[in-house]
Structures are given as C-alpha cells and as structure tokens.
Amino acid sequence: MPVADSGSSSDALAAQQLAAVRSLLQETVASNRFYGRKLAGVGCTAEPSSLADFSARFPFTTKAELVADQAAHPPYGSNLTYPLARYTRCHQTSGTTGSPLRWLDTAESWSGMTDDWVEVFRAAGVTASDRMLFAFSFGPFLGFWLAFEAGQRLGALCFAGGGMSSGVRLRLLLENECTVLCCTPTYALHLAEVAQREEFPWDRCRVRTLVVAGEPGGSQPSVRRRLAEAWRGARIFDHHGMTETGPVTHEDPAAPGNLRVLTGSFLAEIVAPESGTAVEPGMEGELVLTTLRRWGSPLIRYRTGDLVRGAPEPGPVRTLVGGILGRVDDMVIVRGVNVYPSAVDQLIREFPEIAEYRVTYDTTDAMAELSVEVECSAATAAALSHRLHDALALRVPVTEVERGSLPRFELKARRWRRR
C-alpha cells in the first residue's frame, strides 16, 4: 500500500485511510482468531462506510486484552493472521506499564516498518554520508533493531553500541567521527555528563543530530535546550513508537516540538480517557491507533495510554502538538491535584544545573505526598521547590544530594518510586 502524502487534503487522506482500514479488515479478520472472535462478538461484520462509522462501531483493543490472550494461548497469543511459519521476527515490550508482550512480524511487516524508520531519518536530515551510533543494548525491544536496519537501508555507516560502557561508546563516537546519535534523551544527557567528567576531547565531537525516543522529553522545550547545549548545538529530533505498533511519529521539521503521524501506516484517533469518545480538534486526550500496514499482528483501535493533543484542524489526526504529553496511567493525585510525571520533569529540566533527580510518591499516610531529590546545590533545590509550588500549587519538599548518587538510565528512565 502506498504511503499517504502528509500534504494531502483532509478528504483525500480520509479516503486513503478508509481504503487502508478496509484492506486491513479484509486481510486479517477471517484468519486472525483474536480479531475474528472479538469483532464477531460485537456484531462488526460489515465493513465501515466511513472513518466515523469505523470509530463508532468497532471496539477498542487494550493491552490487558492482549496480555490475557497471550496467557490463554501461549506463547504468542492468537493475534496472528498467518501460519506461524510465515513469521520471521519476535520482539517484546519493555513491561514498564505491565506484563510484557511478545510480538511477531512477517518479513513484509518488518520491511514496511523499516521503511517508516527510513522516513523518520530522512525527516531528520540523515543521509547516506552520515555515520550513526546506536547507543543502546540490542535486547528484545523492537525499536533498536528497526532503527539500525533503517540506517543501513538509507546507506549510512552504522555502529551498534550494544554491550558497551558509556566511556567505550564515547570513544567509539569520537574515534569514528559519528555525526548522528540515536538514544533516549536521558542517556544523551548522561553521555555528555560522562564526557565532561572524564575529560573526553569534546572538541572532536562531530555529532550534528540527536534522534531521540523512548521518553516524552524529546519534545519538551527545557529538555531540548539542555540537549542542544550539552551536544554543542546539535539538532534534537524527536520520534515515538511502541513494540506493538512500530514507529508512529516523527518530529515536524517545520515545527520542532510537534510530532507528525505516519498517516500511511496509522489511523490515529484522540479520545477522552474516561468515556472513550472523540475529543474536539485541539483538545487533549488518549492516543488510539490502528495499524494499516502491519497485517501479521494487527492492532485495531488500540488504546496506547499516551496523552496527546491534536492540532486544531479537521479530518484525520496528523499532528500531535507538544509531542507525547504523558501517560494516562502515570497520573498521581496529591492533595486533590492531578500530577503527571512529564509535567514535573519539564519543570525540573528548566534548571540546567540539576544533573539528575528522583521523585518519591508516598501513600503510606492518609494523604499522599511528593518529595524530590536532586543532584545540585542547596540554592538550586530551594529555587526548584518554589517553581514546583508556583506551577502545581503544591508544597513539594526538595532535597539536594551528592552528585552521582542517583541512578542513571540507558533505556527509559524510572525516576519515580512509590511507597
């Protein structure tokens, strides 16, 4: 299926996506036991007449359903459209928001997702003349492998940074004059911190672009500023995706801080988390995705748990303003105030002198409390406490701790702990 042009009119894009939804249903429902049962159970036997009809009649898919299906039909579940012999890849989710899922892909699905990653890199200005360091361990998660293969397909010289310490990765980056770094925002900041602490010859750094993902920070202004300063003015380019879906968005080159949906591969909807009804254009809600090209293990109206805000424009969702704003299931309530970790992170990142932090959410007493530990001076800790109070209308104790005493993270940072 050809990828829809992001510049298409709303009507043309809607027509393309409706045709893709119909093709997905025709290919998968008859042979996919998971969706065959699920859709027949709610009477979804006729193909949708429009995208509005699709959203109105076809049910959501949740991660809890998929986890239960894999438990009932181990090891891969019944969300498989083809015989097992046709599948060539197996990856799994991180399990940071629940039980991990195993996910199978056919060669065709894998190739399509690699094409999507190539589109991400091209939007970031990456070319065949670049040298790319992929600074993460190549474990069972899907994104690492896809990104590496996409870099190769693009023709760039690719360096796998798995199984290396931060110091070894920095030497590899400098000695090979790498121009593009792929990692999480947190790890990019950590690498720059290690380079400064161990006095690496930073004047030899040739990195001009950081392609970051895995955390909301890549679209947050305060995090982007810190990354650009740490990496000598390099361009910060955000992207997001999931093992269940593959790459979903990339930064809008014309509007950094916003994400463009890969509309040829995904039908995106934004719904109210509580009711599941569509929100008005420009309003915040939960991102729901239908995979238009990943037929081997499809997802139909999958509730991602990501909080986003669409652009105030009619027609299919194309742009997520401000990137990923947070997680529906991450919100905590402190003295009647809804607090999202991503909002706290953005406030803390306004202080470049803070090297690392940790938040404790304490529910041992009748009234939940937040407290923050930060690697910085007492004066900065006091300033942060005032900033948190002004922004959240909460008194949040902030304590300074010794530099280097808090955990560092290579993958998704886990800075919040509960008591």
Side-chain angles (χ1 to χ4, degrees):
M1 177 188 299
V3 174
D5 180 2
S6 61
S8 300
S9 70
S10 293
D11 289 344
L13 178 57
Q16 289 173 327
Q17 292 194 319
L18 176 60
V21 167
R22 288 171 172 170
S23 296
L24 168 72
L25 295 172
Q26 290 165 6
E27 178 72 14
T28 62
V29 172
S31 57
N32 186 298
R33 289 184 296 148
F34 177 81
Y35 277 112
R37 291 191 304 267
K38 181 177 175 67
L39 297 182
V42 293
C44 286
T45 55
E47 69 177 21
S49 60
S50 65
L51 292 182
D53 178 48
F54 174 69
S55 298
R57 289 197 296 115
F58 283 71
F60 293 118
T61 302
T62 66
K63 184 173 181 179
E65 285 181 278
L66 297 168
V67 169
D69 177 66
Q70 290 198 356
H73 306 282
Y76 309 117
S78 63
N79 185 18
L80 301 174
T81 303
Y82 308 112
L84 195 59
R86 188 163 168 181
Y87 293 83
T88 59
R89 306 286 305 221
C90 180
H91 294 274
Q92 74 177 43
T93 63
S94 64
T96 54
T97 58
S99 300
L101 286 169
R102 295 187 179 94
W103 217 257
L104 299 187
D105 278 293
T106 63
E108 295 86 356
S109 292
W110 189 261
S111 182
M113 290 190 295
T114 306
D115 286 341
D116 286 339
W117 251 110
V118 169
E119 185 176 343
V120 172
F121 285 145
R122 284 182 173 149
V126 181
T127 70
S129 62
D130 279 302
R131 301 179 184 185
M132 307 181 70
L133 172 61
F134 296 84
F136 32 60
S137 298
F138 282 72
F141 314 132
L142 174 138
F144 308 158
W145 300 93
L146 271 177
F148 190 83
E149 289 194 22
Q152 290 179 310
R153 184 174 292 185
L154 196 60
L157 180 57
C158 298
F159 297 87
M164 297 178 181
S165 67
S166 296
V168 172
R169 286 173 175 155
L170 282 167
R171 283 193 292 274
L172 187 154
L173 181 144
L174 296 177
E175 291 170 359
N176 292 282
E177 299 184 344
C178 292
T179 53
V180 178
L181 172 65
C182 296
C183 61
T184 66
T186 291
Y187 192 64
L189 289 170
H190 176 60
L191 275 180
E193 182 184 34
V194 172
Q196 181 180 27
R197 183 176 68 241
E198 300 187 10
E199 298 183 349
F200 275 83
W202 212 223
D203 59 322
R204 290 170 49 195
C205 179
R206 298 292 179 264
V207 171
R208 63 175 183 81
T209 301
L210 275 68
V211 179
V212 297
E215 300 167 343
S219 291
Q220 293 176 357
S222 56
V223 177
R224 293 173 66 85
R225 283 194 299 270
R226 289 195 61 179
L227 286 168
E229 292 169 2
W231 287 88
R232 301 162 57 90
R235 179 185 185 183
I236 314 304
F237 193 85
D238 198 13
H239 144 79
H240 113 278
M242 295 172 284
T243 293
E244 307 99 298
T245 61
V248 177
T249 65
H250 64 71
E251 183 173 296
D252 185 344
N258 296 337
L259 295 176
R260 281 187 185 173
V261 177
L262 296 167
T263 53
S265 294
F266 298 94
L267 170 64
E269 306 171 62
I270 303 175
V271 304
E274 299 82 9
S275 66
T277 57
V279 302
E280 292 296 320
M283 300 300 290
E284 184 177 307
E286 180 182 358
L287 181 65
V288 174
L289 295 171
T290 297
T291 54
L292 302 179
R293 302 174 70 195
R294 200 179 184 185
W295 291 354
S297 298
L299 286 172
I300 297 173
R301 304 199 71 215
Y302 182 57
R303 299 191 69 152
T304 65
D306 288 325
L307 282 173
V308 298
R309 179 181 293 108
E313 59 189 11
V317 176
R318 309 186 200 210
T319 303
L320 307 182
V321 178
I324 306 301
L325 306 178
R327 294 280 306 171
V328 172
D329 49 7
D330 279 351
M331 187 194 78
V332 299
I333 300 176
V334 182
R335 280 171 274 162
V337 177
N338 295 347
V339 179
Y340 289 97
S342 57
V344 174
D345 181 76
Q346 186 162 351
L347 292 168
I348 292 173
R349 293 305 185 190
E350 292 177 5
F351 296 82
E353 55 270 44
I354 296 177
E356 191 52 87
Y357 73 91
R358 181 167 60 192
V359 179
T360 298
Y361 178 56
D362 193 340
T363 59
T364 54
D365 293 330
M367 189 173 293
E369 298 287 350
L370 281 186
S371 60
V372 182
E373 298 168 275
V374 287
E375 294 182 7
C376 64
S377 67
T380 299
L384 173 61
S385 181
H386 288 300
R387 181 72 181 97
L388 292 170
H389 182 263
D390 290 342
L392 304 177
L394 290 171
R395 295 193 181 278
V396 180
V398 178
T399 305
E400 72 276 13
V401 298
E402 184 179 352
R403 192 177 185 90
S405 62
L406 296 177
R408 265 50 176 181
F409 305 91
E410 179 181 322
L411 301 178
K412 294 181 181 179
R414 301 185 184 186
R415 296 189 175 96
W416 284 60
R417 61 179 181 175
R418 295 184 180 229
R419 286 181 180 166

